[in-house]
Amino acid sequence: MPVVPPPNQAPERAESTGRAEQAARGEGKREYVQQMFSDIAPRYDLLNHVLSMNIDKAWRRKALRALQWTQRPAGSYLDLCAGTLDVGAALVKQPGFTGFVAGADFAVPMLRHGNGKASREVLAPVGADALALPFATTSLDGAIVAFGIRNVADLDAGLREVHRVLKPGARFVILEFSTPPSAIVRTFYHLYFHHVLPRVGRLVSGHGSAYTYLPMSVSHFPTEETLAGHMRRAGFTTVTWERLTFGIAAIHVGTA
């Protein structure tokens, strides 16, 4: 016997999707993103790896190499928009790393689900907004953000804040989704990103719009060259970027 959904299910989903689209455009982004990531925290790691078919792990490794932490192996580093601390944990486990990583995120439930990935002596979760980091000016030896910079409510203010806390010469690495330049790749990319991913994400996470927000937020995010311009205006020099996996993602690197 078929199950008939409650009469209000479709309107609720439409309203949820509407909020996701507004947030992707920047309207009420801070509040939406904070609540959304808090809601999906228990399933976040699983969905990340499943929906990316584990490609995200290789991207993160490449981003860590771009950080060039080996030049300051005993330094203090920032994992910005740290989520469940995957990147910070990967950094402190690198052979030869003897420093410290602060994993900052304003969705505290995400940080809680990262507990146990590394000792707090080397990886400390910090509940903090990317626009008001609790670190002294020119105090950190490097910073990295993986798939989080597009969720910052004010991109330019966030970039300036990262620049503020970095020592002169320190590197800032951004790993973020992008839109493939190839029309053929873009067709399959949009099919997966806008149709398959939201359905699977909604089913596994139980959240009505989190994985609808994801492709929308990427669509509204600056292109690689435009993001590089934002970084330069925030004070970063020698800004470079590289596309990954047919342009599905990109790594940007700037020097404070």
Side-chain angles (χ1 to χ4, degrees), residues 29 131 149-150 152-161 174 221-222 226-227 230-231 234:
K29 175 180 277 192
L131 303 183
I149 199 68
R150 75 180 186 286
V152 175
D154 186 330
L155 174 62
D156 291 319
L159 293 173
R160 290 193 299 268
E161 183 67 351
I174 297 173
F221 195 66
T226 302
L227 177 57
H230 282 275
M231 293 177 71

Side-chain angles (χ1 to χ4, degrees), residues 100-201:
F100 177 81
V101 177
D105 202 301
F106 70 171
V108 175
M110 291 282 282
L111 296 174
R112 291 197 190 107
H113 279 274
N115 281 339
K117 290 185 177 180
S119 167
R120 288 203 176 199
E121 294 180 359
V122 292
L123 175 61
V126 179
D129 194 313
L131 303 183
L133 295 170
F135 307 109
T137 300
T138 64
S139 62
L140 299 177
D141 295 288
I144 184 170
V145 55
F147 309 115
I149 199 68
R150 75 180 186 286
N151 298 320
V152 175
D154 186 330
L155 174 62
D156 291 319
L159 293 173
R160 290 193 299 268
E161 183 67 351
V162 174
H163 187 273
R164 178 188 68 80
V165 302
L166 291 179
K167 295 176 181 178
R171 282 195 154 206
F172 178 38
V173 177
I174 297 173
L175 170 60
E176 190 53 86
F177 288 114
S178 57
T179 301
S182 165
I184 296 175
V185 176
R186 197 161 56 243
T187 297
F188 288 101
Y189 172 82
H190 282 306
L191 177 65
Y192 178 76
F193 232 41
H194 289 274
H195 298 283
V196 177
L197 183 145
R199 293 177 183 177
V200 175

Side-chain angles (χ1 to χ4, degrees), residues 41-61:
R43 300 282 184 168
Y44 181 76
D45 283 346
L46 171 65
L47 278 164
N48 257 5
H49 303 321
V50 169
L51 292 172
S52 71
M53 293 171 281
N54 272 331
I55 298 174
D56 64 310
K57 293 182 179 179
W59 292 341
R60 286 182 173 88
R61 288 194 295 269

Side-chain angles (χ1 to χ4, degrees), residues 8-25 27-28 32-33 35-36 39-40 198 202 205-214 216:
N8 64 340
Q9 187 176 50
E12 283 181 357
R13 182 170 295 176
E15 181 182 355
S16 182
T17 300
R19 287 198 299 270
E21 187 170 7
Q22 288 176 338
R25 292 198 305 264
E27 302 171 26
Y32 176 86
V33 167
Q35 186 60 56
M36 177 194 73
D39 290 342
I40 67 173
R202 186 165 56 242
S205 73
H207 193 282
S209 64
Y211 290 86
T212 299
Y213 165 81
L214 171 58
M216 288 180 176

